[in-house]
Amino acid sequence: MALRGKHEQVLFVALESWKDLHEFYQVQAQLVVSGLSQHPLFATSAIKKLCSRSRTLPRATSLFDHLHHPDAFFCNTIIRAYARKPDFPAALRFYYHKMLARSVPPNHYTFPLLIKVSTDFGSLREGLKGHARILKFGFGSDLFSRNSLIRMYSVFGRIGHARMLFDESSRLDLVSYNSMIDGYVKNGDIGAARQMFDEMPERDVLSWNCMIAGYVGVGDLDAANELFETMPERDVVTWNCMIDGCARAGNVSLAVGFFDRMPVAVRNVVSWNSVLALHARVKNFGECLRLFGRMMEGREVMPNGATLVSVLTACANLGRLDMGMWVHSFIRSNKIEPDVLLSTCLLTMYAKCGAVDLARDVFDEMPVRSVVSWNSMIMGYGLHGNGKKALELFLEMEKTGLQPNDATLVSVLSACTHAGMVMEGWLYFELMQGVYKIEPKVEHYGCMVDLLARAGLMENSEELIRKVPVKAGSAIWGALLSGCSTHLDSELGEIVAKRLIELEPFDIGSYILLSNMYAAQGRWDDVERVRLMIKEKRLQREAASSVVQLE
């Protein structure tokens, strides 16, 4: 319906250009006075503009209530806006309480939209109801509706239902095939996905990416790489998928190779983050910082929180306080809102670099703290000998109701060790199982052996040793024996060695450690006795080997 008068044209321009609700209300009042509030062109413009902003979306619903003859376009626009927000319950409420309540007939866009909302909301029940309405309203053969149903059933693990819809379709398009391939991949049937891929009459980059992601997901990098090298064109998702696959496999050289081959114009922050995180994970901390420097110099992309997590991890392990402080300044100057993970990495960096007060400042500024955040701060105090503050912080953590985990107790025991707080260490070790329901692990026993040894109380360790269950893994006993060897306590070492030999009678390692302890104390008769035991049991050291990567 065309706009005839100049007044109508002025109102339409005003309706298209309002910047806040106050201006909108003024235009709306003029539309009501002019009798144009029900004009389809004005109503459409108003609904679309109100739906373009999250804060004005409720006003679009209110305006819908005053329309005399709403149609599916208005309904779809509002539902789509709620889905984009995303507020899936509100989208479904609008459908039930507004569209259905006012008997607005759907069009062929309505149900694909509702099925997508139900799928993204994770409600199979709503999806099934949507399928029933598709059939009821005669959209069963509609291609858009069928494609949305194929995706829905695939997402909910009902791949058989998805395939049935696919096979029953008289008309299929690229989306149909891609949805099935993606469904097979997500449900772990790579063979069926590949068969579908090979049978496709045509493919686009999404088809190739789905298949490559499937192979990457099951760790078949050879098959993924074969497709990668064959595909006619690649996008950023293709490259990132291959880099991510190599990163998951821990193959640094291959991941870096793909990254370096990647066209500079295609790289995004995800590409950089994948390689940075890989370097951090395999402890190539220097290379991680070097790559970050290259990222900043090239100014190709803007770092985000995930980027800085890897960089701060590298700084913490290299003791690069200067670089860590630069990252902190970068976060502030670029108004990056740090989440729990980034804040925890920041305080860990400060703690490991000895700037405990700065670590505490970050900790105090955190609106939400995870167990890892508390652990890192406790560890920071402990590392630098401030056991009292570490224990005070642990008590503060308990008051919040947060449940400590095994890493928390390692931090607490380690703090006691560094501060020489023997009684406190014993107390928390005793409370581990009874109060905190945490089974002591290698690290906990190792802390206690170290605590007693530093305090010159190795003779008291026998009490601790007797509490270690024989069924505890050989790793625990091996760690204890190593501790005895480090602190030259052969008497206790003998007790531990006997337990370890019971568990691993043919592991030469325990015999050698015991022999070395005797040798360090000049007890050559005992050294010879251990040597004879090794000979009698015909134990041999495995030949040493190393791996050298040649490039």
Side-chain angles (χ1 to χ4, degrees):
M1 193 178 292
L3 300 178
R4 297 176 181 176
K6 186 176 180 181
H7 179 62
E8 291 180 358
Q9 293 175 4
V10 170
L11 281 178
F12 186 76
V13 171
L15 189 59
E16 288 279 294
S17 59
W18 60 266
K19 292 182 175 56
D20 55 48
L21 277 177
H22 178 69
E23 288 183 23
F24 171 76
Y25 292 145
Q26 289 182 326
V27 177
Q28 187 182 32
Q30 293 183 56
L31 290 173
V32 172
V33 170
S34 305
L36 297 171
S37 60
Q38 299 296 323
H39 191 292
L41 198 57
F42 284 99
T44 299
S45 176
I47 292 283
K48 285 174 66 177
K49 193 74 185 289
L50 289 168
C51 285
S52 66
R53 305 177 188 181
S54 180
R55 60 188 177 84
T56 58
L57 187 49
R59 185 61 197 167
T61 305
S62 177
L63 181 62
F64 175 87
D65 290 337
H66 291 88
L67 293 177
H68 297 163
H69 304 289
D71 61 18
F73 175 82
F74 296 122
C75 296
N76 296 346
T77 301
I78 295 173
I79 293 170
R80 187 177 293 107
Y82 277 121
R84 192 170 55 239
K85 191 175 181 181
D87 188 346
F88 303 122
L92 292 171
R93 278 196 303 272
F94 180 87
Y95 173 70
Y96 285 116
H97 299 159
K98 304 293 182 181
M99 187 172 185
L100 274 186
R102 296 189 64 180
S103 302
V104 178
N107 62 19
H108 69 284
Y109 291 111
T110 304
F111 290 113
L113 181 59
L114 284 171
I115 294 297
K116 185 179 187 306
V117 167
S118 302
T119 305
D120 294 344
F121 185 40
S123 175
L124 175 61
R125 181 171 174 269
E126 288 297 334
L128 293 173
K129 286 160 69 175
H131 191 175
R133 290 193 182 92
I134 285 173
L135 299 175
K136 176 183 175 182
F137 284 96
F139 290 101
S141 59
D142 178 71
L143 183 61
F144 293 144
S145 297
R146 293 184 82 85
N147 284 343
S148 67
L149 289 171
I150 289 171
R151 175 180 177 266
M152 179 199 77
Y153 283 119
S154 298
V155 168
F156 289 119
R158 298 194 174 190
I159 195 68
H161 290 73
R163 184 59 192 253
M164 191 182 301
L165 282 164
F166 181 89
D167 290 338
E168 290 175 352
S169 298
S170 57
R171 180 179 163 223
L172 298 167
D173 64 1
L174 197 53
V175 176
S176 314
Y177 279 94
N178 286 344
S179 296
M180 277 307 307
I181 291 172
D182 187 55
Y184 279 128
V185 165
K186 284 186 169 61
N187 285 276
D189 194 343
I190 306 302
R194 183 58 189 262
Q195 185 178 351
M196 179 73 68
F197 178 81
D198 291 338
E199 292 173 355
M200 290 180 75
E202 61 173 327
R203 304 182 186 114
D204 63 2
V205 70
L206 179 60
S207 318
W208 291 86
N209 286 348
C210 282
M211 204 62 244
I212 288 173
Y215 283 125
V216 165
V218 297
D220 191 346
L221 284 181
D222 290 337
N225 189 50
E226 183 184 343
L227 284 178
F228 177 85
E229 297 297 347
T230 307
M231 65 189 298
E233 61 177 295
R234 310 176 184 111
D235 63 5
V236 66
V237 175
T238 318
W239 288 96
N240 287 347
C241 189
M242 289 305 300
I243 293 170
D244 180 60
C246 297
R248 286 192 207 177
N251 193 326
V252 180
S253 59
L254 197 57
V256 171
F258 277 111
F259 179 80
D260 289 338
R261 284 176 58 193
M262 192 175 184
V264 173
V266 175
R267 280 186 203 141
N268 63 8
V269 71
V270 176
S271 319
W272 287 92
N273 288 352
S274 296
V275 184
L276 287 167
L278 175 59
H279 281 307
R281 193 171 78 241
V282 300
K283 304 189 187 318
N284 286 347
F285 301 120
E287 188 60 24
C288 180
L289 294 187
R290 189 197 67 76
L291 187 65
F292 178 66
R294 179 178 151 195
M295 177 184 184
M296 296 305 294
E297 286 171 12
R299 298 182 180 179
E300 295 173 24
V301 294
M302 180 74 169
N304 61 14
T307 316
L308 303 179
V309 163
S310 298
V311 174
L312 287 170
T313 301
C315 292
N317 284 277
L318 294 175
R320 287 289 307 273
L321 179 60
D322 57 335
M323 186 67 183
M325 293 181 76
W326 182 90
V327 171
H328 195 177
S329 174
F330 181 86
I331 291 170
R332 286 169 169 164
S333 58
N334 288 277
K335 295 182 172 53
I336 296 173
E337 283 294 326
D339 58 10
V340 175
L341 178 59
L342 181 55
S343 295
T344 301
C345 285
L346 191 58
L347 80 85
T348 303
M349 180 277 300
Y350 278 132
K352 285 190 173 182
C353 291
V356 184
D357 289 341
L358 292 176
R360 185 58 192 255
D361 289 342
V362 174
F363 181 82
D364 289 339
E365 289 172 4
M366 293 177 69
V368 178
R369 303 179 187 116
S370 67
V371 174
V372 180
S373 313
W374 288 91
N375 293 353
S376 296
M377 197 63 242
I378 293 168
M379 175 273 298
Y381 281 130
L383 272 178
H384 302 286
N386 203 331
K388 184 181 177 183
K389 281 194 174 181
L391 296 187
E392 286 174 356
L393 192 63
F394 178 63
L395 292 174
E396 190 180 326
M397 174 187 177
E398 286 193 289
K399 289 177 184 176
T400 66
L402 207 58
Q403 182 69 25
N405 59 19
D406 59 343
T408 314
L409 270 298
V410 169
S411 298
V412 170
L413 294 176
S414 179
C416 293
T417 299
H418 284 88
M421 302 168 73
V422 180
M423 295 303 295
E424 291 84 348
W426 264 114
L427 172 64
Y428 283 111
F429 186 79
E430 290 290 334
L431 294 175
M432 277 186 67
Q433 289 175 287
V435 175
Y436 303 117
K437 311 300 180 189
I438 296 171
E439 190 73 27
K441 295 181 179 177
V442 174
E443 296 84 358
H444 303 106
Y445 285 109
C447 284
M448 289 305 296
V449 169
D450 198 18
L451 172 64
L452 295 169
R454 289 187 186 210
L457 298 170
M458 279 303 288
E459 67 276 8
N460 292 354
S461 294
E462 187 171 350
E463 180 185 347
L464 171 67
I465 295 299
R466 296 193 187 284
K467 291 183 179 180
V468 180
V470 175
K471 65 181 180 181
S474 58
I476 288 181
W477 290 102
L480 292 174
L481 180 56
S482 180
C484 295
S485 175
T486 301
H487 298 290
L488 301 178
D489 192 313
S490 57
E491 184 179 345
L492 189 59
E494 285 179 314
I495 297 172
V496 176
K498 287 176 182 177
R499 291 283 183 95
L500 188 55
I501 288 168
E502 286 178 31
L503 289 171
E504 301 283 351
F506 297 104
D507 182 0
I508 196 172
S510 53
Y511 298 91
I512 291 173
L513 277 174
L514 189 57
S515 176
N516 290 342
M517 276 193 290
Y518 289 147
Q521 295 179 336
R523 296 170 57 178
W524 304 112
D525 290 343
D526 290 323
V527 171
E528 181 62 20
R529 183 170 55 84
V530 174
R531 189 186 69 79
L532 288 172
M533 289 172 64
I534 293 173
K535 188 176 180 180
E536 286 172 7
K537 293 181 182 290
R538 297 180 180 179
L539 303 178
Q540 291 183 346
R541 293 192 186 199
E542 291 184 5
S545 63
S546 62
V547 177
V548 178
Q549 184 173 325
L550 300 176
E551 295 186 357

